[in-house]
């Protein structure tokens, strides 16, 4: 396996322009001769399908939801970054690029990150034109707020429902193309395998979730925009249906998997409240603009938070990172919360710390806070029964976002020619830690402004044939898919799928969570292997394939998680440094900060699959020409 990033020549600010100037084009009337599959209808998938349909390609879009509008992008709350500099506070494309590289602890590819920053402004213009109701200031100009890891206000937002509004804009564009018949939407379909013919992506095998029918779909190119893998932890901020099956099955067909150990723990989530809980609730990072995070200075303080005097409160982020304070990056903020709780100074009544709006309400008034975060405050009160305007929120870190994903080059193409990967499903832009409000930026950048160019270059250069679905390779993949489903249904054990998923999640949280060490990782890998064997001996999958069967759906996804979890832990074990979200206890400074090893680990780890439990580790060296490697500091 060769990892050729295909980075264009020229200065950093000229690479994308040079690429577009020298790429191969397809005549507009010839675009309709090409068929493109897009799997996933979140921001990356919907924007890609809509844009490619507008260009004239024949697009088939797939979602396992009943509507494209249900994609998990809808759950993003706080905002989307762009270097517009509307606040006139010193922002620029280069500063957004640098903040993203630094926020990722210098473990991302310079060229991809600069392109992301470069096209960010176009995204805002596109979404405004679609009617996305961004917040505006008193003069009517689009408003901005701050997010972690930046000292400028560059985050555009629509109260606490930015993802929903952006997705509505993208889906409206998608629906327009569906009406024009350039896009065909296949809802309630789950991709179960990738079809590769003569070394190139030729189509996919899907299951109709209503009828159980196994379908074959062909295309000249396949685009995966299926999100991340944080649900491997069971309790995460992701929706329960979010999964890694599409990218994992593609990995097993030859797509390298990059940096799986880079899994983000979000610092601002509602704590776990019971064993019957199926997911955790995200509280937007934007709350940290006006909320102050603290714990008691005393251990095991059982007083109510309003009875703890100011001089007995430890605003630990403001103390440890005075330059950024409560807006320190997510990885740092999450570990700091864990340290405070482990020290016995957590909030009364649970595994939590306080997020307090008292000072901002006194300074600005409750009405202003309600205007900025009203729906988030309402959501918190509905779930917890506590009024966040009168009492501090209780928050705690939780698994949230996957910086790792399938390896892609500058063109967003995987190691399988003809298979492109967009958004959270790829690894390319965030390094070891994603800054807040950058997920929506990447998804829309990839879909609206990158893939239309890079896909055209591939099609014009390679002229891939459209393989008939009656081809023997399609038949073989369908047969293997049916055999796999039959195998799941035939185990007939005693334990439910969710019981196994919970056990796997607990193993990962205990041994591959916020803090990792060699002994724990080796123990975790051993336990994962044991639990995987038990799964295939004792899982109970009721019902049959020829019907709606959500237990069967979950079983396939959890089976993939058991395989993926081992790779996640193995990647963490092989990265003998601390960087961003990957914190190895053996590699930290005297102050407890992450200690990178740039001499040995300034590279992307890309894993090649051979068999379950057997991989080869490849490296893509990260060459920093424009950024000076430095110890990350937010003090």
């Amino acid at each position: 396996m060769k990892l050729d990033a295909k980075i264009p020549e020229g200065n950093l600010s000229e690479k994308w322009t040079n690429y577009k100037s020298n790429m191969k084009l397809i005549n507009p009337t010839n675009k309709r001769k090409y068929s493109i599959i897009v799997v996933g209808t979140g921001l990356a998938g919907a924007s890609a399908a809509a844009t490619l349909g507008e260009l004239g390609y024949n697009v088939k879009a797939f979602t396992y939801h009943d509507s494209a509008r249900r994609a998990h992008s809808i759950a993003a709350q706080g905002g989307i970054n762009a270097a517009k500099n509307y606040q006139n506070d010193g922002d620029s494309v280069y500063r957004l690029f640098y903040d993203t590289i630094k926020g990722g602890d210098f473990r991302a590819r310079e060229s991809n990150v600069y392109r992301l920053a470069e096209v960010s402004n176009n995204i805002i213009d596109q979404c405004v034109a679609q009617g996305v109701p961004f917040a505006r200031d008193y003069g009517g100009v689009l408003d901005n707020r701050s997010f972690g890891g930046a000292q400028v206000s560059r985050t555009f937002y629509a109260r606490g429902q930015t993802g929903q509004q952006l997705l509505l804009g993208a889906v409206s564009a998608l629906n327009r193309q569906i009406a024009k018949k350039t896009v065909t939407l296949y809802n309630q379909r789950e991709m179960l395998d990738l079809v590769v013919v003569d070394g190139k992506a030729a189509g996919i095998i899907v299951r109709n979730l209503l009828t159980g029918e196994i379908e074959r779909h062909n295309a000249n190119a396949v685009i995966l925009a299926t999100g991340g893998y944080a649900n491997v932890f069971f309790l995460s901020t992701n929706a329960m249906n979010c999964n890694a099956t599409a990218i994992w099955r593609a990995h097993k067909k030859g797509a390298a998997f990059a940096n799986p150990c880079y899994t983000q723990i979000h610092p601002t989530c509602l704590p776990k409240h019971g064993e019957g809980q199926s997911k955790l609730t995200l509280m937007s990072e934007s709350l940290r603009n006006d909320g102050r995070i603290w714990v008691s200075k005393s251990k095991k303080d059982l007083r109510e938070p309003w009875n703890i005097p100011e001089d007995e409160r430890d605003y630990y982020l403001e103390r440890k990172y005075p330059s950024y304070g409560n807006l320190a990056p997510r990885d740092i903020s999450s570990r700091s919360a864990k340290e405070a709780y482990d020290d016995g100074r957590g909030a009364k009544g649970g595994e939590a710390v306080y997020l307090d709006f008292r000072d901002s309400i006194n300074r600005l008034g409750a009405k202003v806070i309600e205007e900025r975060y009203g729906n988030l405050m309402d959501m918190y009160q509905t779930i917890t029964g506590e009024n966040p305007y009168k009492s501090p929120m209780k928050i705690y870190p939780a698994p949230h976002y996957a910086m790792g994903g399938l390896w892609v080059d500058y063109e967003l193409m995987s190691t399988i020619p003809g298979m492109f990967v967009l958004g959270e499903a790829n690894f390319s832009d965030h390094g070891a830690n994603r800054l807040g409000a950058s997920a929506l930026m990447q998804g829309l950048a990839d879909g609206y402004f990158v893939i239309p160019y890079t896909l055209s270059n591939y099609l014009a250069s390679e002229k891939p044939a459209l393989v008939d679905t009656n081809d023997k390779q399609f038949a073989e993949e369908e047969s293997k898919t049916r055999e796999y489903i039959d195998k799941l249904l035939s185990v007939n054990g005693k334990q439910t799928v969710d019981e196994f998923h919970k056990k796997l999640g607990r193993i990962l949280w205990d041994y591959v969570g916020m803090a990792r060490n060699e002994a724990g990782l080796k123990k975790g890998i051993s336990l994962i292997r044991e639990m995987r064997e038990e799964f295939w001996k004792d899982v109970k999958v009721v019902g049959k394939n020829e019907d709606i069967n959500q237990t069967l759906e979950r079983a396939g996804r959890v089976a993939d998680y058991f395989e993926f979890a081992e790779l996640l832990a193995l990647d963490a074990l092989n990265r003998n440094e601390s960087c961003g979200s990957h914190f190895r206890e053996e590699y930290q400074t005297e102050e407890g900060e992450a200690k990178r090893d740039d001499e040995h680990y300034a590279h992307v780890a890309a894993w090649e699959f051979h068999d379950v439990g057997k991989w080869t580790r490849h490296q893509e060296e990260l060459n920093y020409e424009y950024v000076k490697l430095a110890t990350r500091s937010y003090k």
Side-chain angles (χ1 to χ4, degrees), residues 229 258-264 403-404 512 516 564 567-573 575 581-582:
Y229 49 78
N259 300 335
C261 75
Y262 292 161
T263 308
Q264 185 170 79
M403 283 74 65
V512 202
R516 304 157 176 179
F564 167 70
L567 181 61
L568 193 163
L570 184 64
D571 188 44
L573 180 63
R575 186 167 285 277
S581 65
H582 169 64

Side-chain angles (χ1 to χ4, degrees), residues 501-574:
H501 197 177
K502 286 180 182 180
K503 291 176 182 178
L504 174 62
R506 176 48 63 183
I507 292 170
L508 287 172
W509 185 248
D510 289 345
Y511 299 105
V512 202
M514 273 192 282
R516 304 157 176 179
N517 58 62
E518 182 178 1
L521 289 167
K522 289 180 177 178
K523 175 70 172 177
I525 290 171
S526 176
L527 291 173
I528 290 166
R529 289 172 175 169
E530 291 175 11
M531 190 61 60
R532 185 169 65 221
E533 289 185 14
E534 185 181 349
F535 174 87
W536 283 107
K537 293 177 181 178
D538 199 35
V539 70
K540 178 73 172 180
V541 183
V542 298
K544 56 185 180 179
N545 177 50
E546 296 77 16
D547 204 347
I548 297 174
N549 191 337
Q550 293 185 328
T551 303
L552 175 61
E553 295 168 31
R554 291 199 300 274
R557 297 164 188 171
V558 172
D560 290 334
Y561 274 143
F562 270 113
E563 297 175 4
F564 167 70
E566 182 177 349
L567 181 61
L568 193 163
L570 184 64
D571 188 44
L573 180 63
N574 277 269

Side-chain angles (χ1 to χ4, degrees), residues 24-27 30 33-36 197-198 200-201 219-221 413 417-418 420 454-467:
K24 292 187 177 181
L25 302 175
I26 299 175
N27 184 296
N30 286 336
K33 298 178 182 178
Y34 288 100
S35 177
I36 312 299
V197 178
D198 296 330
K200 297 179 181 179
N220 300 99
M413 188 159 66
F420 297 81
T454 61
L455 176 68
S456 171
N457 190 58
Y458 166 74
L459 295 174
S461 301
E462 300 295 327
K463 297 180 174 59
L466 184 66
V467 180

Side-chain angles (χ1 to χ4, degrees), residues 484-516:
Y484 190 79
I485 290 172
D486 290 342
K487 182 180 178 181
L488 284 169
L489 290 167
S490 66
V491 176
N492 198 30
K494 297 180 180 179
Q495 298 185 63
T496 68
V497 175
D498 283 351
E499 285 175 326
F500 275 108
H501 197 177
K502 286 180 182 180
K503 291 176 182 178
L504 174 62
R506 176 48 63 183
I507 292 170
L508 287 172
W509 185 248
D510 289 345
Y511 299 105
V512 202
M514 273 192 282
R516 304 157 176 179

Side-chain angles (χ1 to χ4, degrees), residues 186-244:
Y186 295 85
N187 56 15
Q188 293 180 310
R189 305 296 204 284
E190 182 170 25
M191 173 183 161
L192 295 183
D193 221 332
L194 178 75
V195 180
V196 179
V197 178
D198 296 330
K200 297 179 181 179
I204 60 175
I205 303 296
V206 304
R207 179 177 181 268
N208 185 319
L209 300 182
L210 295 180
T211 66
E213 182 181 357
I214 306 301
E215 302 172 358
R216 311 174 188 179
H217 293 273
N218 60 352
N220 300 99
V222 175
I223 296 170
L224 300 188
T226 53
Y229 49 78
N231 257 0
V232 69
F233 287 88
F234 184 73
L235 285 179
S236 78
T237 66
N238 288 203
M240 279 299 291
N241 270 342
C242 292
N243 64 85

Side-chain angles (χ1 to χ4, degrees), residues 258-538:
N259 300 335
C261 75
Y262 292 161
T263 308
Q264 185 170 79
I265 310 297
H266 196 293
T268 319
C269 305
L270 297 191
K272 177 182 175 181
H273 63 252
E275 287 302 317
Q277 192 170 350
S278 61
K279 74 177 294 292
L280 297 170
T281 301
L282 175 69
M283 288 283 105
S284 170
E285 181 180 315
S286 62
L287 295 172
R288 295 197 276 153
N289 275 277
D290 291 301
R292 301 178 71 192
I293 296 173
W294 63 276
V295 292
S296 173
K297 291 181 179 179
S298 303
K299 295 184 179 183
K300 298 181 180 179
D301 193 334
L302 299 181
R303 290 175 292 177
E304 298 294 346
W306 52 83
N307 290 328
I308 301 176
E310 185 71 15
D311 61 356
E312 295 182 32
R313 299 181 177 191
D314 178 16
Y315 295 92
Y316 55 86
L317 289 178
E318 298 173 30
R319 170 175 55 81
K320 295 169 65 176
Y321 309 103
S323 293
Y324 286 76
N326 295 296
L327 290 173
R330 291 176 175 178
D331 57 323
I332 290 173
S333 302
S334 292
R335 283 198 298 274
S336 296
K338 183 178 185 296
E339 289 170 5
Y341 177 80
D342 289 348
D343 190 41
R345 298 186 295 121
K348 177 187 176 182
E351 195 172 10
V353 297
Y354 293 118
L355 176 61
D356 196 343
F357 289 86
R358 181 195 64 180
D359 292 344
S360 59
I361 289 174
N362 289 339
R363 185 179 73 255
L364 302 170
K367 189 175 188 306
V368 172
I369 300 303
E370 182 181 2
E371 289 172 352
R372 292 177 179 176
Y373 315 108
N375 62 307
L376 296 171
M377 306 297 243
D378 292 345
M379 184 168 67
Y380 181 87
Q381 186 164 359
T382 298
I383 293 171
T384 66
E386 299 176 0
N387 186 341
Y389 295 99
K390 296 181 178 180
S391 179
M393 286 184 176
K394 294 175 183 176
I395 59 167
Y396 199 67
H400 175 60
Y401 186 89
M403 283 74 65
L406 294 184
W407 185 92
V408 293
D409 59 21
Y410 188 75
E411 296 183 305
L412 303 185
M413 188 159 66
S414 70
T415 51
I416 299 175
M419 192 189 83
F420 297 81
V421 190
L422 312 186
E424 191 179 358
N426 75 35
F427 88 102
S428 69
D429 291 353
H430 306 298
N433 173 62
R434 178 177 67 79
L435 293 183
S438 287
L440 306 184
M441 176 175 62
Q442 185 205 354
L444 292 179
D446 288 355
Y448 281 137
F449 298 109
V450 178
I451 194 63
Y453 294 97
T454 61
L455 176 68
S456 171
N457 190 58
Y458 166 74
L459 295 174
S461 301
E462 300 295 327
K463 297 180 174 59
L466 184 66
V467 180
D468 194 283
T469 54
N470 291 319
D471 182 86
K472 65 177 183 179
Q473 197 63 44
F474 274 91
E476 286 181 14
E477 299 304 340
E478 179 183 340
S479 177
K480 290 178 183 177
T481 299
R482 292 184 183 278
E483 289 174 6
Y484 190 79
I485 290 172
D486 290 342
K487 182 180 178 181
L488 284 169
L489 290 167
S490 66
V491 176
N492 198 30
K494 297 180 180 179
Q495 298 185 63
T496 68
V497 175
D498 283 351
E499 285 175 326
F500 275 108
H501 197 177
K502 286 180 182 180
K503 291 176 182 178
L504 174 62
R506 176 48 63 183
I507 292 170
L508 287 172
W509 185 248
D510 289 345
Y511 299 105
V512 202
M514 273 192 282
R516 304 157 176 179
N517 58 62
E518 182 178 1
L521 289 167
K522 289 180 177 178
K523 175 70 172 177
I525 290 171
S526 176
L527 291 173
I528 290 166
R529 289 172 175 169
E530 291 175 11
M531 190 61 60
R532 185 169 65 221
E533 289 185 14
E534 185 181 349
F535 174 87
W536 283 107
K537 293 177 181 178
D538 199 35

Side-chain angles (χ1 to χ4, degrees), residues 22-47:
N22 293 290
M23 59 176 274
K24 292 187 177 181
L25 302 175
I26 299 175
N27 184 296
T29 58
N30 286 336
K31 288 188 173 78
R32 66 177 69 99
K33 298 178 182 178
Y34 288 100
S35 177
I36 312 299
I37 283 174
V38 179
V39 184
T41 58
L43 287 181
S47 60

